Amino acid sequence: MRKVMLTFAIGLMAAVGVAQTPDYLNPQKPIEERVQDALHRMTLDEKVAMIHAQSKFSSPGVPRLGIPENWTTDGPHGIRQEVIWDEWGGAGWTNDSCTALPALTCLAATWNEQMSHLYGRTIGEEARYRNKNILLGPGCNIYRTPLNGRNFEYLGEDPYLASRMVVPYIKAVQANGVAACVKHYALNNQERWRGHINVIVDDRALHEIYLPAFHAAVTEGKAWSIMGAYNQYKGQQCCHNQYLLNDILKRDWKFDGVVVSDWGGTHDTEQAIRNGLDMEFGSWTDGMSSGVSNAYDYYYMANPYLELLRSGKVTTAELDDKVSRILRLIFRTNMAPNRPLGSFATAEHALAARTIAEEGIVLLKNDKNTLPIDPTRVRRLLVVGENATHPMTIGGGSSSLKVKYEVSPLEGIVERARRAGIEVVYKTGYASPAVAAQDVKGAVAPEKIFDLATLRAEAVEAAREADMVLFVGGLNKNDGQDCEGNDRESMALPYEQDALVEALAKANPNIAVVIISGNAVAMPWVKTVPAIIEGWYCGTEAGNALARVAFGDVNPSGKLPFTFPQRLSDVGAHCLGEHPGDSINVRYNESIFVGYRFADSRNIKPLFGFGHGLSYTKFEYYGAKISSPTIDADGTITVSVNVKNVGKCFGKEVVQLYIADSQSRLVRPAKELKGFRKVSLLPGETKTVEFTIDRSALSYYDDSVGKWVAEPGEFTAIVAASSTDPKAALKFSLK
């Protein structure tokens, strides 16, 4: 396809009398020369056309010059089905059913950069095969509150973890000639009033907590595009924001890619011109509502911009910069030499999805060795819960997918139990309201008739006759349950699940609870049940991955990428800050104290700490040491620790490094994550894990001077299995 396109373009130039191949069509020329050559050949109308949409998910190229269109696709968990040109509804194709990868919370829970690369490679190949050149993902907004409806699309609460996990994803996607569009920049931490809420946050929290993952995406991942957020910051919409886009992103970080608006995130022509937006999508302007022949000409950066240019009220300086960025992206993607062809919904991609899911599933609790399921003790297994059968690849907003297949938890468990000679009985136990199929215009959901008390009674009766109960519940991507557009009302499980779990545990204490969610949930029954799994939204192979962990074919190695608080008042955003604000502003009074940082500052014991995750084997840490008691300003020191598998089966452990500053001019968290390694260990095997500490690991952002500062003094390197499970503390000093 690429060679055909270039041949066509070259032939077109010959037909109109061009003597030789122009520079912009010569893949041997440097990209910047190609950009400038193409830019100088374009008319004003062609330039303006290129910076706004022509359909729901595409923007024009320059047909006269053989420059192709840009085609975007929703991610970050799979490639969205083809939609009708001007509508959200599906186009009815029969060959656009994709592989669903696990939600990004599950990816973050792997604490494994190799899994991030595998994820990016897989979704990049699928986007490329479908001829998309901009993937709308990954998301890396920080988990500020467990009520945020889109937390499942992001990489957790810690800026260091999110930074390390976002970079391999981007690099692997872009290796396929597809631009990663990192989102939502920035401070998009709630869904309620998301289109206009103005975030008030201090500069220190902005730079220490909310920007590092985006910074890594740009400076290390070399992302080719970024999507602006819906909300406001400093009283300006984030999609055209002077400070975020011009000052930080383009000036300070030297970003040379394209800033894409979120769909409908553009609000003003002149601000869009001047404040850093490069490409406008999805704005619902007057042209869209009045039914004109080409409504896209009425976008803020379409005819209104063209009129300002022709009247001389604005110059072409900003326009040329925007178009240059878009051309640069096209030459990196659609017109790149040696661009791979991609592949789609293959067995290899399904295996990748399952592998990531297996590494991300977290064993939260496992008293009495309840798990893995032992066929010598369990002959009759009762599975309870609507989430055992509820599709999880649909719903949730823009991440909803049309998949080739999805293995439900019940299907995976039944098949694995069959091989073990275990009888499986299923009871719904609870039920949720029906939801119309996403992306189908005018869809009507069939009415569900159910009585929760009756469903609960049936499940409890069956529990008395089973050797073991496996409850599969949690959230389900319905509105207000991990879904774009609305936040959750509380941390409680919906549909009377808590009462059901309590009743099941009373009827049969041999019970394991599986929570399917992208958010922390309250667990009033946590002391009653012996085993708990966080099962995430695991995509195409969800059921097989869960079954393999539950039966011990895979030893769980996931660790939580965010804190499970016991109550909302244990969260800084709710104790000190505001959520969701007053509909005009929301204040981040908790500043840098997000997640475990806030819990540490108040000595609050979480339900399950950041970085927590159990295994079917045991690990011993010993021999921790530091290479030097002091570090120069420009030097490094090494922290090492031995980790031994002292159990009876193969396992993987995530060794974590936190840094504590004993004394500083500004208040600092008790500790901050600054390193992690995932190691694989056979029974009896020992490996030495090393971390390098440099000045950046010791620094904080001093908003009084507007820069990062590492103050001389005493520090402590804390080697840990989680934020609540330290293994060794080593003191050192910075000269």
Side-chain angles (χ1 to χ4, degrees), residues 194-197 229-233 235-242 244-245 265-267 271 275:
R194 66 176 183 173
H196 64 271
I197 195 74
Y230 278 127
N231 51 283
Q232 295 186 62
Y233 170 64
Q236 290 182 344
Q237 297 289 156
C238 290
C239 283
H240 34 74
N241 190 288
Q242 172 65 30
L244 289 177
L245 299 179
T266 311
H267 296 265
Q271 288 193 34
N275 291 348

Side-chain angles (χ1 to χ4, degrees), residues 538-567:
C538 283
T540 282
E541 284 282 318
N544 288 334
L546 176 61
R548 283 164 58 81
V549 170
F551 279 85
D553 302 324
V554 171
N555 193 345
S557 62
K559 300 269 190 172
L560 290 179
F562 52 78
T563 303
F564 268 59
Q566 297 197 48
R567 57 190 69 85

Side-chain angles (χ1 to χ4, degrees), residues 437-517:
Q438 178 129 348
D439 284 344
V440 180
K441 188 176 182 180
V444 177
E447 183 180 3
K448 279 187 178 180
I449 306 298
F450 56 82
D451 177 77
L452 290 178
T454 299
L455 294 177
R456 182 161 61 246
E458 292 175 350
V460 170
E461 182 63 28
R464 295 190 179 100
E465 301 175 359
D467 297 317
M468 181 178 181
V469 177
L470 189 65
F471 174 76
V472 184
L475 309 177
N476 64 9
K477 293 191 179 180
N478 282 6
D479 188 40
Q481 302 294 326
D482 281 348
C483 183
E484 179 182 3
N486 271 315
D487 293 328
R488 300 165 66 197
E489 293 295 326
S490 74
M491 284 179 58
L493 290 176
Y495 321 124
E496 301 183 18
Q497 291 180 68
D498 290 331
L500 174 58
V501 173
E502 293 279 9
L504 288 170
K506 186 176 181 180
N508 189 333
N510 190 27
I511 180 174
V513 171
V514 178
I515 296 297
I516 306 297
S517 75

Side-chain angles (χ1 to χ4, degrees), residues 358-379:
E358 290 169 355
E359 285 231 4
I361 290 172
V362 181
L363 181 61
L364 296 175
K365 182 181 179 181
N366 194 28
D367 293 350
K368 304 176 184 177
N369 293 321
T370 302
L371 293 172
I373 297 169
D374 184 353
T376 65
R377 294 186 297 132
V378 178
R379 306 309 301 165

Side-chain angles (χ1 to χ4, degrees), residues 141-142 144 186-190 197-212 231-236 238 241 243-244 248 573 577-578 584-594 701 703:
N141 292 99
I142 292 297
R144 178 180 179 249
L187 300 163
N188 189 175
N189 306 114
Q190 65 187 70
I197 195 74
N198 181 54
V199 176
I200 299 174
V201 62
D202 61 87
D203 263 9
R204 185 178 176 199
L206 179 72
H207 285 83
E208 286 193 22
I209 304 297
Y210 297 103
L211 292 188
N231 51 283
Q232 295 186 62
Y233 170 64
K234 291 184 180 290
Q236 290 182 344
C238 290
N241 190 288
Y243 187 60
L244 289 177
I248 295 178
E578 296 176 347
I584 305 299
N585 297 302
V586 58
R587 301 174 189 276
Y588 289 18
N589 297 327
E590 73 279 7
S591 185
I592 60 173
F593 293 99
V594 175
Y701 188 83
D703 49 6

